[in-house]
Amino acid sequence: MKKPFMWALTAFATVSLAACGTSSDENEQTSAGEGTSTEATEETIEVESMNGEVVKVPVNPEVVVSFDHGITDSIRALGGEVSGIPKANNIPDYLSEFESDDYEDVGSLFEPNFELIHSMEPDVIFISGRASENYEELSEIAPTVYMAVDNENFMESFETNMRTLGDIFEAQDEVEEQLAGIHETIDNVKERADNTDKNALILSADEGSASAFGAGSRFGIIHDVLGIKTADDIEAENHGETVSFEYIADVDPDYIFMIDRGASIGNEATATQVIDNELVARTKAAQNDDIYVLDGEVWYLSGSGLESVKLIVDEIDSMFETE
């Protein structure tokens, strides 16, 4: 099976000052009638997007368009403002406030409303993989930062992204505080995982069928970061490896963690069709009531922001009991 191309994040940030305008002595007068010379400056940060483009972004941007739910939740967590998101796609419940008319609907992940975005005069636009084909056109409107995670180096790339956002929104201390909280939970889960032989199988359900995900995959944080052992060797696949119910029974995992992809994107929920299968019922996971349906909206639609990563590790922390 071909191994998918894994996006490699190379985001880094350096702060710089850039003059954005000057006013002549002849045109500027004080209230006392004296001529003055003023120079407006704008602090910017240079960010290298994951496509290699170096982008100058204003510090503390006021008009922000985000095409990634993880970036959106991170900006909110840091006290920043997001002005527009794509509402044509499903918005996770934990981000439901952005459904309000207070926030512009900038189209869909794959078909942005370029005219509306242009009229907003954004200071910066953030995108990730799903909107990457629109990078060039969006970058003609405003500085556009392509930011995503490398699933095979999840925490390193995630932390780089968050620290870059911390620099942009001048919230470096807040980033470090929230990352420390996430790491504390990770360490707690990993300690339990290191002290047990119990393993897990990650499944995604869609239209009654199941796909398995292993280490290095989009849901591989369970194995790669939290340290829970894999029930079987599965190649990293962006959309998973289709598996049969016989396969699940043969692997016989201690835990099954399931994402209902269909329900996450607004289709019929079918996770229970997989769980209630006669063959799956024979597994240790089923016998010990250790089959868990995860919050698919967070795992599938977001999953790489300060809020969503915390939700993810907290969820596994509450489920993975080894006693």
Side-chain angles (χ1 to χ4, degrees):
M1 183 172 293
K2 293 183 179 179
K3 189 173 181 180
F5 176 75
M6 307 300 297
W7 293 108
L9 178 67
T10 58
F12 70 90
T14 57
V15 177
S16 62
L17 290 176
C20 65
T22 60
S23 299
S24 67
D25 291 344
E26 292 80 8
N27 294 331
E28 295 269 335
Q29 299 291 326
T30 65
S31 59
E34 297 177 358
T36 64
S37 175
T38 63
E39 182 176 301
T41 61
E42 181 180 75
E43 191 176 7
T44 64
I45 185 168
E46 287 188 342
V47 177
E48 184 178 348
S49 287
M50 61 181 295
N51 60 354
E53 296 285 341
V54 176
V55 184
K56 277 190 176 183
V57 179
V59 172
N60 285 320
E62 295 181 359
V63 182
V64 176
V65 172
S66 173
F67 281 90
D68 181 272
H69 292 319
I71 295 172
T72 299
D73 79 43
S74 300
I75 294 172
R76 179 174 70 176
L78 298 178
E81 296 292 336
V82 175
S83 303
I85 68 168
K87 298 184 183 181
N89 302 98
N90 291 66
I91 300 175
D93 283 344
Y94 80 105
L95 293 176
S96 60
E97 71 173 87
F98 292 98
E99 294 178 352
S100 164
D101 291 339
D102 292 338
Y103 304 92
E104 297 285 359
D105 179 0
V106 296
S108 74
L109 293 172
F110 304 103
E111 296 183 1
N113 185 336
F114 294 107
E115 183 177 355
L116 173 61
I117 297 169
H118 190 277
S119 71
M120 293 173 64
E121 299 182 354
D123 296 309
V124 62
I125 301 169
F126 291 101
I127 66 169
S128 58
R130 290 184 175 107
S132 60
E133 291 187 3
N134 299 298
Y135 176 85
E136 293 297 334
E137 193 165 354
L138 289 170
S139 64
E140 292 177 2
I141 299 174
T144 299
V145 180
Y146 185 0
M147 185 178 285
V149 293
D150 175 1
N151 289 322
E152 293 187 336
N153 296 283
F154 182 89
M155 286 305 293
E156 180 182 354
S157 57
F158 162 65
E159 290 179 18
T160 297
N161 286 347
M162 297 306 102
R163 291 186 173 115
T164 298
L165 290 175
D167 289 338
I168 292 173
F169 291 93
E170 293 190 309
Q172 294 90 340
D173 291 344
E174 182 64 26
V175 168
E176 296 306 323
E177 181 178 342
Q178 296 203 36
L179 288 177
I182 290 170
H183 273 287
E184 182 178 359
T185 303
I186 289 172
D187 291 343
N188 289 337
V189 177
K190 196 171 187 303
E191 183 178 4
R192 298 200 297 273
D194 289 343
N195 291 320
T196 184
D197 290 329
K198 290 190 175 182
N199 58 50
L201 181 64
I202 308 168
L203 297 175
S204 172
D206 195 5
E207 297 183 351
S209 63
S211 297
F213 292 79
S217 71
R218 67 187 305 166
F219 307 126
I221 184 175
I222 291 173
H223 303 308
D224 304 321
V225 177
L226 296 169
I228 299 174
K229 297 171 180 63
T230 58
D232 191 28
D233 291 330
I234 302 166
E235 286 192 48
E237 292 282 347
N238 192 44
H239 296 291
E241 181 177 333
T242 302
V243 295
S244 65
F245 297 127
E246 288 81 4
Y247 168 85
I248 299 171
D250 288 341
V251 170
D252 192 18
D254 295 301
Y255 283 79
I256 293 176
F257 296 115
M258 180 171 294
I259 295 95
D260 195 322
R261 177 187 179 277
S264 300
I265 61 175
N267 295 335
E268 181 183 356
T270 59
T272 54
Q273 295 179 26
V274 176
I275 295 172
D276 292 341
N277 180 271
E278 181 179 313
L279 291 169
V280 176
R282 300 175 187 173
T283 63
K284 293 190 291 289
Q287 294 292 319
N288 295 322
D289 292 326
D290 283 326
I291 298 179
Y292 299 97
V293 179
L294 305 175
D295 186 338
E297 289 189 337
V298 175
W299 284 79
Y300 186 74
L301 299 179
S302 299
S304 59
L306 279 173
E307 293 183 8
S308 45
V309 170
K310 184 180 188 307
L311 289 170
I312 281 172
V313 298
D314 284 350
E315 192 168 37
I316 299 300
D317 181 37
S318 68
M319 295 172 176
F320 187 68
E321 300 292 340
T322 58
E323 295 299 330

